[in-house]
């Protein structure tokens, strides 16, 4: 991918905020919008109901998107460059973080579709290279990993290789073309919705990881060694609702067993905070399934974008502040 315009964000996690519009329920209760994007990087708390407790009113991030920003724009300006680095042999992860119903799935599925379209456009424009695409999809629910491409599959084990953690027996499908990949995406969506009717609120408690691996090599290259071979993967992660971790974010970082706190979500918060602070810290990837699986796609040479989704409603102020706290720690 040669459309990279700047190196400014190469070293750190790109953090953006996306506000969704007030929904019908919120509007019917005369709820009000508390947030406004005053420019591309600044989010303003309007304090409509004149709360006294809040000191800080303006928050700055790498990018903020208002109610009227379409997903295509969110993709172009927050995730595209990072997702498409998969074509340059660099691993990356795109996360959606936020409370339930804030727009994570809406945003992440749109971003995934945009990436797929751009990857295939790139492939079509580069007939001099051969590409092999592989796709896998999993869900982590209560620290159990499930294959989203297998109906009724049992939990999968994680195996430790010296180099990385592998999900044992996870289906990896060779993608034949763009439509095949779109089909695979809709299978995952159906699988997840399927789960939702049997298990209460699964999507608010589970993490979904979709992973696209791209291998490419100059066509007709038969030389020894692998100098022209590029391999990397991009992971699209639709996280559990952030309300699952908010207790701990506000009360320090001690992991409390027994309550409904989501271990993977908490550990991710710690890992992201440490990664954003610098390279030398011990990063506790091993403390959760999510961070073990993503270890090679976070930190090191990998690139990361986090899109924090928020409801603008006054009713959700507390959760929105927790989301901003997470986002601030990540940048
Ligand atoms: P989450 O995955 O965070 O629980 P969803 O993505 O399912 O939330 O979004 C909740 C609802 O809000 C869905 O009906 C979705 O279509 C709608 N929605 C979310 N974000 C937007 C947006 N930016 N613009 C319009 N509708 C949105
Ligand atoms: Mg969702």
């Amino acid at each position: 991918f040669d459309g990279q315009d700047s190196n400014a964000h190469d070293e750190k996690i790109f953090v953006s905020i996306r506000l969704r519009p007030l929904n019908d329920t919120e509007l019917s209760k005369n709820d009000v919008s508390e947030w406004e994007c005053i420019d591309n990087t600044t989010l303003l708390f309007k304090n409509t109901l004149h709360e006294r407790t809040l000191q800080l009113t303006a928050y700055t991030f790498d990018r903020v998107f208002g109610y009227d920003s379409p997903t295509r724009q969110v993709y172009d300006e927050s995730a595209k460059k990072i997702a498409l680095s998969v074509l340059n042999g660099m691993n990356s992860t795109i996360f959606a973080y936020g409370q339930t119903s804030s727009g994570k799935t809406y945003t992440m599925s749109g971003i995934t579709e945009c990436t797929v379209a751009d990857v295939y456009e790139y492939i079509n424009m580069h007939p001099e290279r051969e590409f092999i695409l592989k796709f896998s999809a999993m869900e982590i629910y209560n620290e159990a990993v499930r294959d989203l491409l297998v109906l009724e599959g049992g939990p999968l084990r994680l195996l430790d290789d010296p180099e990385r953690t592998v999900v044992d027996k996870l289906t990896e499908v060779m993608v034949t073309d763009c439509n095949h990949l779109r089909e695979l995406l809709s299978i995952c969506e159906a699988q997840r919705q399927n789960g939702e009717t049997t298990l209460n609120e699964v999507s608010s408690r589970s993490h979904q990881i979709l992973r696209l691996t791209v291998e490419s090599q100059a066509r007709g290259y038969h030389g020894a060694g692998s100098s022209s071979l590029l391999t990397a993967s991009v992971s699209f992660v639709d996280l559990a609702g952030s309300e699952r971790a908010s207790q701990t974010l506000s009360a320090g970082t001690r992991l409390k067993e027994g309550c409904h706190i989501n271990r993977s979500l908490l550990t991710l918060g710690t890992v992201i905070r440490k990664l954003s602070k610098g390279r030398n810290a011990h990063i506790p990837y091993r403390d959760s399934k999510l961070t073990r699986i993503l270890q090679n796609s976070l930190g090191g040479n990998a690139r990361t974008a986090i899109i924090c989704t928020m409801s603008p409603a006054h009713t959700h102020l507390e959760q929105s502040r927790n989301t901003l706290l997470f986002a601030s720690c990540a940048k």
Side-chain angles (χ1 to χ4, degrees):
F1 170 61
D2 11 66
Q4 303 197 3
D5 42 20
S6 104
N7 293 317
H9 296 294
D10 282 1
E11 295 265 321
K12 58 173 200 146
I13 299 169
F14 193 90
V15 183
S16 50
I17 307 289
R18 183 187 201 183
L19 290 172
R20 66 155 165 77
L22 285 169
N23 63 30
D24 291 344
T25 319
E26 289 159 353
L27 288 169
S28 71
K29 292 179 183 156
N30 294 322
D31 206 331
V32 287
S33 170
E34 287 285 13
W35 306 93
E36 191 180 317
C37 297
I38 51 174
D39 58 37
N40 278 348
T41 58
T42 316
L43 185 67
L44 189 71
F45 174 58
K46 293 197 283 187
N47 203 355
T48 315
L49 304 183
H50 303 291
E51 278 205 23
R52 278 175 297 150
T53 48
L54 199 77
Q55 310 266 311
L56 198 62
T57 57
Y59 297 77
T60 310
F61 296 97
D62 292 318
R63 193 68 177 77
V64 299
F65 300 98
Y67 323 105
D68 49 358
S69 288
T71 300
R72 180 79 219 184
Q73 185 189 8
V74 175
Y75 164 75
D76 281 342
E77 296 172 21
S78 73
K80 178 175 177 170
K81 202 176 113 183
I82 293 172
L84 295 188
S85 63
V86 71
L87 297 164
N88 283 339
M90 290 218 283
N91 291 337
S92 62
T93 307
I94 316 292
F95 288 103
Y97 181 99
Q99 78 176 109
T100 297
S101 91
S102 60
K104 293 182 298 299
T105 302
Y106 181 88
T107 299
M108 196 48 61
S109 63
I111 283 178
T112 309
E113 281 163 32
C114 289
T115 306
V116 166
D118 279 358
V119 163
Y120 273 97
E121 190 185 311
Y122 181 91
I123 290 175
N124 292 333
M125 281 164 50
H126 289 81
E128 78 285 2
R129 289 187 78 78
E130 266 174 303
F131 292 87
I132 296 174
L133 270 63
K134 296 173 193 161
F135 178 79
S136 60
M138 66 204 110
E139 181 174 70
I140 304 174
Y141 180 79
N142 277 339
E143 291 299 284
V145 182
R146 186 170 77 97
D147 194 330
L148 283 172
L149 294 175
V150 173
L151 278 168
E152 327 249 322
L156 302 179
R157 288 188 310 154
L158 300 190
L159 299 180
D160 286 308
D161 209 88
E163 294 282 296
R164 65 206 183 103
T165 297
V166 202
V167 184
D168 193 27
K169 302 197 168 72
L170 180 69
T171 309
E172 197 168 45
V173 177
M174 286 279 203
V175 182
T176 54
D177 58 24
C178 192
N179 285 335
H180 183 207
L181 188 46
R182 291 198 175 109
E183 250 168 61
L184 292 168
L185 293 175
S186 57
I187 291 172
C188 296
E189 201 171 312
Q191 270 270 51
R192 226 184 168 201
Q193 281 164 2
N194 206 16
E196 219 151 332
T197 50
T198 48
L199 283 164
N200 199 19
E201 291 183 295
V202 163
S203 86
S204 80
R205 294 162 191 264
S206 70
H207 310 283
Q208 182 190 56
I209 307 172
L210 306 183
R211 184 171 273 176
L212 182 66
T213 302
V214 179
E215 288 175 19
S216 75
Q217 192 164 23
R219 215 173 269 285
Y221 181 87
H222 299 297
S226 55
S227 57
S228 81
L229 180 73
L230 292 177
T231 303
S233 63
V234 50
S235 302
F236 301 95
V237 186
D238 186 352
L239 290 166
S242 56
E243 65 276 9
R244 304 289 164 198
S246 56
Q247 274 165 281
T248 313
L249 272 176
S250 46
T253 48
R254 220 169 67 96
L255 194 84
K256 290 181 198 132
E257 297 291 349
C259 47
H260 60 280
I261 284 175
N262 188 305
R263 174 189 284 265
S264 279
L265 196 57
L266 272 182
T267 305
L268 178 72
T270 310
V271 164
I272 297 281
R273 261 197 316 278
K274 295 206 168 190
L275 283 174
S276 74
K277 282 207 186 114
R279 323 207 138 244
N280 298 323
H282 167 72
I283 315 284
Y285 293 110
R286 299 203 53 82
D287 289 359
S288 77
K289 296 270 168 74
L290 178 71
T291 50
R292 279 175 73 188
I293 291 169
L294 291 175
Q295 176 159 3
N296 273 30
S297 306
L298 285 169
N301 285 327
R303 309 176 67 196
T304 306
I306 301 177
I307 298 130
C308 294
T309 54
M310 263 171 64
S311 157
H314 180 84
T315 324
H316 294 135
L317 199 49
E318 202 50 46
Q319 284 303 328
S320 296
R321 281 183 189 156
N322 283 330
T323 297
L324 291 173
L325 184 61
F326 175 87
S328 303
C329 289
K331 63 174 183 167

